[in-house]
Amino acid sequence: QVQLVESGGGLVQPGGSLRLSCAASGSSFRINVMSWYRQAPGKERELVAVITSGGTTTYADSVKGRFTISRENAKNTVYLQMNSLKPEDTAVYYCQVVTTRIYWGQGTQVTVSS
């Protein structure tokens, strides 16, 4: 079993930055893919960014050039650096970790508003 703890959400003005973290813990496991998703009110959950165990990254078109996903394997932690935030980035952000199963974090609210 793997537990995920997210942190770093909050309220930020347009153009600002936030850094989300998601730390995995539990019994012996090997993490393959780590991802960030988001879900805005009234919308479906969407993929934001993915990073493989080898460090290959993929981004949604809407965040390319503004968001950066990274991981620290020794700490089983994935990060999402979000710059130049826009009001349309407002959502609950979820991390997802894939081992032999798929695990989700509890979600952290990001609100971009003046």
Side-chain angles (χ1 to χ4, degrees):
Q1 194 74 3
V2 174
Q3 294 80 43
L4 302 178
V5 177
E6 300 179 27
S7 60
L11 172 64
V12 64
Q13 293 187 341
S17 298
L18 283 175
R19 188 192 195 207
L20 306 183
S21 299
C22 175
S25 63
S27 56
S28 178
F29 57 89
R30 178 180 178 275
I31 297 175
N32 296 311
V33 175
M34 307 180 86
S35 306
W36 287 96
Y37 285 73
R38 68 185 181 186
Q39 187 167 18
K43 294 188 177 181
E44 294 187 353
R45 191 172 296 190
E46 63 174 356
L47 178 64
V48 176
V50 180
I51 185 166
T52 68
S53 57
T56 300
T57 58
T58 304
Y59 297 93
D61 287 343
S62 59
V63 307
K64 281 180 181 176
R66 300 188 298 121
F67 291 11
T68 302
I69 188 171
S70 61
R71 60 191 285 173
E72 201 169 346
N73 291 330
K75 295 184 178 180
N76 289 322
T77 299
V78 62
Y79 306 96
L80 186 67
Q81 177 67 42
M82 305 185 293
N83 299 328
S84 302
L85 282 160
K86 305 175 181 180
E88 51 263 43
D89 294 318
T90 296
V92 177
Y93 283 71
Y94 299 89
C95 66
Q96 182 202 73
V97 164
V98 179
T99 60
T100 57
R101 294 176 55 186
I102 296 173
Y103 296 91
W104 290 92
Q106 80 281 6
T108 185
Q109 177 70 46
V110 171
T111 303
V112 185
S113 175
S114 55

